[in-house]
Structure formats: structure tokens, C-alpha cells
Amino acid sequence: MDYLIHEEVQNYIRSLLPEKDKIFHEMEEEAKEKIVPIVEPEMGQLLYWLAFTKKSKRVLEVGTAIGYSTLWLAKAVLPLGGKITTMEINGPRAESANKYFKKAGVEGQIKLVFGDAREMLFTLKGPYDFIFLDAAKGKYIEFLDKCIELLEPGGLLVAEDIFMRGMVISGEIDKRRNKTAVSRLRTFLELVSGHQQLETIILPVGDGVAISTKK
């Protein structure tokens, strides 16, 4: 029942999108067809609202996929003259993202870095006022210190999929290979919740999101 209600909420959110945002529908269909993980529509709107409210202009996204979350952020950031740097390791997904950036007419304001975030992230200088972390869940701990370093005081760090389909909360792990990722996500949540440089709130939006502000 809860799943059906969740689907109804997502469909209702989609129905409210203005005509100029119909590109999101197209991206959702491609993600479904090619089994590409993207954020839920409600998570996309939350990203937009956070970036809009923060008036973010220097955004870093770790994990582009086909650019769905990137374009939600772009709605808030680019009208202010801001820039987005986004990183993706998967070639076909990066190509799809570039296709959608061009279709939306924003390719000149989004820098897509093709490569492994485990290497590329540590070459960046910053500062950024908004970082969206949506990479391999088992790597969130590895990326945390660098993200905090790159983030300016008052900036936002948003980490997505922190419940990992509920497994982080329930402890019921569907596959043995997910055991390590679940354990690392729990550690990540403990770290951001108790970190001296961060103020963090955890929300049950999408598959769970941790929103941290750098003090």
C-alpha cells in the first residue's frame, strides 16, 4: 500500500511540472528503459528548492548518471549565472547526459567531467557552495573529508540514497554484496550527524537524504 501511495505522489508531482520541464519525463522514461538509477521526482524538486533558496552559484555533483538531477539543480543555479561541475564514470550515461544538456540549451554552463570520482574529486580546488553526493554508496565515507574541504562555510552537502532501499534502517540486506555498503552508509550517517564542522538533518525523501551545512 505504501508503495502504491508513493507512486501516486510521484505521478502527481510529474503532473504539476510546467511544459518547459517536460524533458524530465523523457529522462525518466530513458532511465526506466535502460535501468539507470536517478533521483525520484520529489528529490529532484528538493534539490531545486535547496539550491534556489541558497542562491547557489558554484555547484559540484558527484554522480551525473544521465543528468536528471543535474538539470533540476540547473533550474535554480543557471539563471543566477552559476556553474555546475558534474562527474560521471560511465561512458554511455555521460553521453546521454550531454545529449540532454544540449537539448535543454545549458551545455555551456555545465562542465561534465568524465572519470572516476575516486581520482577526479581529489584534483578539484573549490570552493563550492553546494555539493550533491550521489555516487557509489560505499564511497561516501571516502569522499566526506574532501567534500567538506571543498565546501565554503554556509555551503550545503546533500547526500542521496542514504537508506539504500530501507536496508540501512531495517538491517535486512537483500544481497550479500550490499552488506559492506550498508555498513559504510551507517558509518557515514554517524559521521555527518556528529561532525564538528557540520549541522545535519536527515529526511525520508526519496530513498533518504542527509543535508549538511558547513559551519
Side-chain angles (χ1 to χ4, degrees):
M1 183 65 177
D2 288 344
Y3 175 79
L4 292 176
I5 293 174
H6 186 61
E7 285 291 300
E8 289 174 1
V9 168
Q10 290 188 342
N11 289 333
Y12 181 67
I13 290 172
R14 291 184 184 99
S15 73
L16 295 176
L17 290 177
E19 189 64 33
K20 64 184 178 63
D21 289 337
K22 296 306 181 183
I23 190 172
F24 291 115
H25 292 307
E26 183 180 342
M27 298 174 83
E28 289 163 11
E29 290 303 313
E30 177 172 335
K32 187 183 298 184
E33 178 186 343
K34 297 181 179 179
I35 316 177
V36 177
I38 61 173
V39 304
E40 294 83 354
E42 63 267 31
M43 184 63 209
Q45 289 204 342
L46 178 60
L47 287 172
Y48 163 75
W49 184 85
L50 288 170
F52 177 82
T53 303
K54 182 72 174 63
K55 294 183 169 56
S56 300
K57 291 186 177 180
R58 300 178 304 279
V59 174
L60 171 64
E61 178 183 50
V62 186
T64 315
I66 61 172
Y68 183 79
S69 52
T70 322
L71 287 184
W72 275 111
L73 288 165
K75 273 169 56 76
V77 174
L78 302 191
L80 298 177
K83 300 283 187 180
I84 298 175
T85 298
T86 183
M87 313 177 79
E88 178 56 46
I89 192 173
N90 182 290
R93 292 179 185 178
E95 289 179 8
S96 286
N98 273 321
K99 173 188 70 176
Y100 285 115
F101 298 161
K102 289 178 182 177
K103 188 167 186 175
V106 297
E107 72 273 17
Q109 295 162 282
I110 298 176
K111 179 182 180 181
L112 197 160
V113 179
F114 177 61
D116 192 336
R118 290 176 296 181
E119 300 172 0
M120 306 303 295
L121 179 65
F122 295 91
T123 68
L124 300 179
K125 301 296 183 184
Y128 296 94
D129 56 26
F130 194 113
I131 298 177
F132 180 47
L133 188 55
D134 191 20
K137 310 313 162 194
K139 300 298 178 185
Y140 280 16
I141 298 174
E142 182 180 336
F143 297 157
L144 179 59
D145 286 344
K146 183 62 178 179
C147 286
I148 294 174
E149 175 192 323
L150 291 171
L151 200 62
E152 68 178 22
L156 293 180
L157 170 62
V158 181
E160 214 261 333
D161 280 343
I162 57 168
F163 295 159
M164 200 170 175
R165 302 188 302 282
M167 290 185 281
V168 169
I169 298 172
S170 68
E172 298 177 1
I173 301 171
D174 60 355
K175 297 177 182 178
R176 188 173 180 179
R177 61 184 174 84
N178 287 330
K179 185 176 181 179
T180 299
V182 168
S183 175
R184 289 178 178 174
L185 276 173
R186 285 178 171 170
T187 301
F188 173 81
L189 291 175
E190 292 171 3
L191 287 172
V192 295
S193 296
H195 203 287
Q196 292 185 347
Q197 290 183 270
L198 302 175
E199 286 290 346
T200 299
I201 185 172
I202 297 170
L203 299 175
V205 177
D207 195 19
V209 58
I211 304 171
S212 303
T213 301
K214 185 175 179 179
K215 297 178 185 178

